[in-house]
Amino acid sequence: MAEWGLQAIIRPNQYDHQQDDCFGSIDIKKEYDQALLFCFPHLSFQNNHHATTNNMQADDLNQLYKPFYSVPPADADADDDIRINRHRFHDPDQETQRDQAHEIKKFSGSASNTSQLAPKLKKRKNQQKRVVVQVTAAGLSSDPWAWRKYGQKPIKGSIYPRSYYRCSSSKACMARRQVEQSCTDSSIYVLTYTAEHNHPQPTRRNSLAGINRNRLKLTPKSPTNSSDVGKTVTKSKGSQVHSPTTISASSSMEDEVLQQSNMIKEETTFYNKCDINHGHDMMMMPEINDEECMVFGDDFFEGLEDLGRESSSYYSSNKQFPNVLGRESSSYYSSNKQFPNVFC
DNA sequence: CGTTTTTGACCGGCGC
DNA sequence: GCGCCGGTCAAAAACG
């Protein structure tokens, strides 16, 4: 917990611009606090945060925001483990976040109607409200939520793959987390949180099974045979990733992350040679620059109060609920019997 | 046995 | 329409 020291970074110009142009009078500070609370409810940072933001002057904001575009100071202490950037470009009142398909359609329409808001930025389907956080390996291990990895993809312009996690506490929880290692500083990890947890924060991990897989598998199988070439992990042309050990979201994540860092460092020289033309893509937080990054609005915490009553039996049942949530019908989830009551 | 990770396949948005 | 790309699915394997 202690290592989740917080340094919030706000982009003043864009902030003001978007607030004025897109959202009228929005209580930015309020929603910012909510986003921080969502991501790090265990931090008890709120008092400090209030003090920080209340006293934050424009110059301070500019100074704080600079690290997003360059490697942070090497002497950053534990309090710099986390950096948060938030942007707004979508009215939270128009988002339910319950149906991504609907969101996609809405965004498509919104994008065409408000293209002037982001003239050079593309609106992709996943551009929903999100919180981007920079953490160190130590910070990664302190995430109180239970995450289950469901995918990993090489990202164009990044030498490191992006790992996709969903909340493992409940099948119905739409919370997602993306973990991606910084191109410029392998000790920095960029976390992108999307959607909201619809349940209380778990008090323990679901299970320890499988969490140490990579530590024992020192020679993980890699897609080296011809049949693997060109498939998912190596599909990204020109930036083939050697599929480094996945960043685990489990309780042993810190060790695994450190292991991954060492593994990746061995490959860094090779990647640097291959990606010298991507300097503009290798800033600390490419998502900040290439996409609009959003944060959860007031609707973000919708339903949390109701769900607070469900905590005691949240992780117990293994009964499956095929097709309860459309495609969310896989059997690997520890579905709880109550989530249909919660969501349906 | 329950849970997580791995990873090839698939899907849909987007640009050309 | 096609290809690229990011995100997700789901079967198999791994792990406690």
Side-chain angles (χ1 to χ4, degrees):
Chain A
M1 290 287 187
E3 63 268 37
W4 281 78
L6 179 66
Q7 179 182 10
I9 310 296
I10 303 173
R11 177 191 249 165
N13 293 338
Q14 183 166 349
Y15 230 101
D16 294 339
H17 171 79
Q18 290 181 345
Q19 180 179 2
D20 292 342
D21 293 352
C22 307
F23 307 107
S25 59
I26 294 174
D27 191 345
I28 296 292
K29 181 176 174 300
K30 174 186 174 183
E31 296 197 16
Y32 184 49
D33 291 342
Q34 288 177 336
L36 294 177
L37 274 172
F38 163 74
C39 289
F40 317 106
H42 55 300
L43 284 178
S44 301
F45 62 87
Q46 200 161 12
N47 290 338
N48 291 336
H49 168 67
H50 283 169
T52 300
T53 55
N54 285 341
N55 298 328
M56 197 169 282
Q57 302 298 319
D59 289 344
D60 295 330
L61 292 174
N62 279 315
Q63 290 297 320
L64 287 173
Y65 193 73
K66 284 180 180 177
F68 277 99
Y69 294 94
S70 61
V71 179
D75 59 348
D77 56 24
D79 288 340
D80 294 325
D81 279 350
I82 305 167
R83 291 181 175 84
I84 296 178
N85 190 298
R86 56 156 306 189
H87 305 247
R88 290 187 56 88
F89 62 90
H90 195 75
D91 188 342
D93 292 336
Q94 295 178 359
E95 293 187 3
T96 63
Q97 302 241 349
R98 295 293 171 83
D99 187 334
Q100 281 199 352
H102 292 167
E103 289 299 316
I104 293 167
K105 292 179 180 178
K106 283 200 296 183
F107 267 108
S108 297
S110 175
S112 60
N113 294 332
T114 60
S115 58
Q116 74 278 8
L117 300 180
K120 64 179 180 181
L121 298 176
K122 301 172 185 178
K123 301 281 187 180
R124 295 194 66 89
K125 66 175 182 178
N126 61 325
Q127 288 189 342
Q128 51 192 292
K129 286 181 287 186
R130 59 174 66 179
V131 175
V132 179
V133 185
Q134 284 186 315
V135 301
T136 63
L140 274 175
S141 64
S142 299
D143 193 327
W145 297 99
W147 299 101
R148 178 190 179 278
K149 185 176 181 178
Y150 65 89
Q152 175 174 312
K153 291 280 289 185
I155 301 302
K156 189 177 182 180
S158 174
I159 62 176
Y160 302 108
R162 177 181 297 164
S163 297
Y164 300 90
Y165 298 88
R166 59 161 46 99
C167 180
S168 63
S169 296
S170 169
K171 176 181 176 179
C173 181
M174 296 303 294
R176 296 287 186 275
R177 185 176 80 160
Q178 299 174 6
V179 178
E180 138 176 51
Q181 199 165 3
S182 169
C183 296
T184 54
D185 185 346
S186 60
S187 66
I188 298 297
Y189 296 86
V190 179
L191 309 183
T192 303
Y193 294 88
T194 57
E196 74 267 34
H197 293 276
N198 53 26
H199 55 87
Q201 180 179 317
T203 56
R204 61 176 176 83
R205 305 290 182 185
N206 281 358
S207 170
L208 294 177
I211 64 176
N212 288 325
R213 171 193 310 268
N214 293 326
R215 283 197 293 184
L216 297 178
K217 191 168 61 177
L218 295 180
T219 56
K221 61 179 178 181
S222 59
T224 53
N225 61 59
S226 59
S227 64
D228 290 330
V229 174
K231 292 184 180 179
T232 300
V233 173
T234 60
K235 191 189 293 182
S236 181
K237 298 173 295 299
S239 62
Q240 178 170 340
V241 175
H242 289 192
S243 190
T245 305
T246 300
I247 300 168
S248 168
S250 67
S251 57
S252 63
M253 183 164 55
E254 180 175 356
D255 289 342
E256 297 187 20
V257 164
L258 293 175
Q259 177 189 352
Q260 182 183 16
S261 294
N262 292 333
M263 295 174 62
I264 291 175
K265 283 177 181 176
E266 296 176 358
E267 302 170 339
T268 301
T269 301
F270 167 79
Y271 288 129
N272 286 342
K273 290 178 181 176
C274 295
D275 285 273
I276 57 176
N277 293 328
H278 291 80
H280 62 286
D281 287 330
M282 296 177 70
M283 294 184 288
M284 283 301 297
M285 300 190 69
E287 292 178 354
I288 301 282
N289 301 291
D290 298 334
E291 304 173 1
E292 298 100 329
C293 300
M294 296 185 285
V295 76
F296 305 94
D298 291 341
D299 57 333
F300 194 92
F301 301 89
E302 217 170 73
L304 285 179
E305 292 181 1
D306 291 341
L307 288 160
R309 299 188 296 266
E310 314 280 352
S311 58
S312 62
S313 59
Y314 220 82
Y315 313 103
S316 56
S317 173
N318 291 310
K319 291 291 194 302
Q320 296 180 19
F321 287 90
N323 299 322
V324 169
L325 292 176
R327 298 183 67 183
E328 295 280 352
S329 60
S330 64
S331 60
Y332 50 67
Y333 275 107
S334 173
S335 305
N336 70 77
K337 292 179 179 178
Q338 295 180 344
F339 80 74
N341 296 333
V342 174
F343 263 103
C344 306

